Amino acid sequence: VNNAFFFAPVAAEKTKKFLALIQNDDYPFIKKPDRDNADKFILDILAGLVFYDDNQVFGGHIQKFYSTKPRTEIEILW
């Protein structure tokens, strides 16, 4: 499972300079939620839909970025 989380900047961060930095969705988001909590979120919502139990998942990659279009992207490889 490969996941990417895209978080919106808070109001104080919405300067022209910062919005220009995050326009390509590749500026790292280094705040909470922590990486392990983001991973748990994905595993919990996919349990019962994609796999029986999250103990079946043996690998994955998680990234967190700023974005003007907040979203979560999930890639599942069989």
Side-chain angles (χ1 to χ4, degrees), residues 43-77:
L43 293 175
D44 286 348
I45 63 171
L46 294 179
L49 297 172
V50 176
F51 43 79
Y52 175 72
D53 188 71
D54 63 2
N55 65 3
Q56 295 174 282
V57 178
F58 62 90
H61 184 76
I62 295 176
Q63 294 180 300
K64 301 184 314 179
F65 300 103
Y66 277 100
S67 178
T68 56
K69 299 176 212 150
R71 64 195 182 278
T72 300
E73 295 180 0
I74 302 169
E75 178 185 26
I76 301 166
L77 304 171

Side-chain angles (χ1 to χ4, degrees), residues 30-40 62 64:
I30 52 173
K31 298 180 179 181
K32 291 190 180 278
D34 297 335
R35 182 197 177 283
D36 58 330
N37 292 331
D39 190 32
K40 178 125 179 73
I62 295 176
K64 301 184 314 179

Side-chain angles (χ1 to χ4, degrees), residues 9-41:
V10 296
E13 297 170 326
K14 290 185 179 179
T15 63
K16 283 185 180 182
K17 183 179 179 180
F18 190 73
L19 292 174
L21 280 174
I22 68 171
Q23 71 179 347
N24 294 326
D25 292 345
D26 61 356
Y27 193 83
F29 184 87
I30 52 173
K31 298 180 179 181
K32 291 190 180 278
D34 297 335
R35 182 197 177 283
D36 58 330
N37 292 331
D39 190 32
K40 178 125 179 73
F41 168 73

